[in-house]
Amino acid sequence: MKYKTAIITGASEGIGCSLAKLLVKNGWEVIGISRNIKKLNSLNKELSKCKGVFKPFACDVQNFRKLVSIEKKINIPDLLFLNAGIYTPIDASNKNIEHFKHHINVNYLGVINAYEAFLPRMIKANSGHIIIMSSISGWIGLPKAAAYGPTKAALRSFAQSIRYDLNSKGIKVQVCSPGFVETSATSINNFYMPGLLKADEAAKRIYKNMHTKKFEFSFPLGFSTFMKLLSILPDKLSSFLINQIK
Ligand SMILES: NC(=O)c1ccc[n+]([C@@H]2O[C@H](COP(=O)([O-])OP(=O)(O)OC[C@H]3O[C@@H](n4cnc5c(N)ncnc54)[C@H](OP(=O)(O)O)[C@@H]3O)[C@@H](O)[C@H]2O)c1
C-alpha cells in the first residue's frame, strides 16, 4: 500500500502530536521529529494498530546535519509540517538575551533547517505541500511576547516569500496562524485565553484547512477575526486597546 508521507516537527506533544495522530488514523505515514524519544515511542505504540504508520526520529531542529541524515532514510514527503516551537513570556525590561536567541534558533532557524533539509527532493519531484506554523502573535506585537512574537512574524514573512518560488515548482505553501491552544506551551499563561481550543480540535482544523486553497488559515474564527482587526487598526488605537486588556 502506498501511504502519503508527512513530516511533522514537534510531534511529541501538543498540536504536532494531535495532527500526527489524526494523519496516521487517516492512513498516512508520519515521520515524527522532536527531541523526546520516549514520548515519540509511546505515541508510536499508541498508533501501532492504526491504518497508517508513525515513524519516530529523535532530533533537535537546531541540528541541521541530523535533519539531513533523517532525510536520507525516508520517502519524499507529500507534506512538510514545520511546527516545532517554544514559547516563553518575557518582561522586556529585564535582561533576556538568552531567551531572544533561543526563540530565534528554535522557532525561526529550526524551521529553516528542516526546510533546507527536506525541500530538495520535493523540488526534484515537482510536488509537495509545506505548512509553516506561525501564530496570531505574528500579526501584531503583544505584551510579554517580545521573544516569541517576532519569530512568528518572521515565519509568516518567510512563508509569504517562498511561495513565489515554490508554487511554480508544484509545491503548495500555507501558513497556519492559530489563536490559543491548550498545550504545555500555553500552560504557563496566567491570564484568560479567549477562544482556547483543545489540541485535538486544533489538529482537526488544520486537517480541514490543509485541503483548501487558502494561503493563510487561522482559528478560532471569533478571536482570530478580532486579532486581525486589531492588527490593522491605527497604532494609537490598537496599543490603547491592548493596554486596556493586558
Ligand atoms: N499552543 C498555542 O496556543 C499556539 C498558538 C499559536 C501557535 N502555536 C505554535 O504551534 C507550535 C506547537 O506548539 P504547541 O502549543 O503544540 O507546543 P508544545 O505542546 O510545547 O509542543 C512543542 C513541540 O515542539 C517540539 N520542540 C520544541 N523544541 C524543539 C527542538 N529544539 N527541536 C525539536 N522539537 C522541538 C516539542 O518536542 P520535544 O520537547 O520532544 O523536542 C513538542 O513536540 C509552536 O510552533 C507554537 O509556537 C501554538
Side-chain angles (χ1 to χ4, degrees):
M1 172 178 173
K2 168 84 180 91
Y3 297 112
K4 274 195 160 190
T5 298
I7 297 172
I8 299 182
T9 65
S12 63
E13 63 176 307
I15 302 168
C17 173
S18 290
L19 185 67
K21 287 183 195 173
L22 191 57
L23 291 179
V24 172
K25 284 174 187 165
N26 278 282
W28 287 63
E29 173 191 62
V30 173
I31 310 300
I33 297 174
S34 33
R35 293 162 305 171
N36 191 323
I37 192 64
K38 272 193 184 163
K39 282 188 187 164
L40 290 175
N41 283 338
S42 80
L43 180 59
N44 191 16
K45 215 170 167 191
E46 183 187 331
L47 296 174
S48 60
K49 292 202 168 65
C50 292
K51 224 166 128 192
V53 285
F54 182 74
K55 294 187 178 168
F57 287 90
C59 179
D60 189 318
V61 290
Q62 294 171 94
N63 189 339
F64 176 67
R65 280 193 182 176
K66 193 147 187 206
L67 289 167
V68 170
S69 74
I70 295 171
E71 200 278 339
K72 294 189 188 346
K73 295 178 191 148
I74 62 169
N75 292 322
I76 303 175
D78 299 283
L79 172 66
L80 181 53
F81 186 66
L82 300 174
N83 162 78
I86 54 163
Y87 161 68
T88 308
I90 62 158
D91 178 338
S93 65
N94 293 336
K95 287 188 173 173
N96 287 300
I97 191 70
E98 292 311 322
H99 286 309
F100 285 125
K101 287 183 179 172
H102 195 210
H103 278 75
I104 290 169
N105 287 337
V106 176
N107 291 7
Y108 185 69
L109 293 177
V111 165
I112 304 300
N113 284 337
Y115 173 81
E116 284 276 317
F118 298 114
L119 182 70
R121 277 203 292 161
M122 294 170 83
I123 295 282
K124 266 193 197 156
N126 256 286
S127 70
H129 180 180
I130 298 174
I131 304 179
I132 300 205
M133 185 54 113
S134 180
S135 162
I136 51 140
S137 294
W139 292 349
I140 184 167
L142 294 170
K144 304 282 180 274
Y148 176 77
T151 64
K152 294 298 174 180
L155 286 173
R156 185 165 183 262
S157 173
F158 175 74
Q160 283 174 330
S161 180
I162 61 172
R163 66 181 152 161
Y164 297 110
D165 295 321
L166 301 194
N167 287 169
S168 57
K169 295 195 161 61
I171 299 172
K172 174 173 166 179
V173 178
Q174 288 181 299
V175 61
C176 174
S177 301
F180 294 111
V181 181
E182 196 179 328
T183 64
S184 312
T186 48
S187 65
I188 49 174
N189 284 342
N190 56 4
F191 53 85
Y192 171 67
M193 291 179 272
L196 184 69
L197 288 179
K198 298 276 181 208
D200 285 351
E201 181 54 36
K204 279 186 200 158
R205 298 197 187 197
I206 292 167
Y207 188 73
K208 188 173 163 209
N209 276 289
M210 70 186 233
H211 293 101
T212 68
K213 289 189 172 154
K214 285 178 198 165
F215 167 67
E216 182 169 24
F217 57 91
S218 191
F219 49 79
L221 182 66
F223 183 58
S224 62
T225 306
F226 170 75
M227 291 305 296
K228 182 55 80 177
L229 289 173
L230 202 61
S231 73
I232 57 174
L233 287 177
D235 179 70
K236 253 190 181 170
L237 189 51
S238 62
S239 58
F240 171 79
L241 289 171
I242 291 170
N243 257 319
Q244 304 310 302
I245 52 179
K246 81 171 188 189

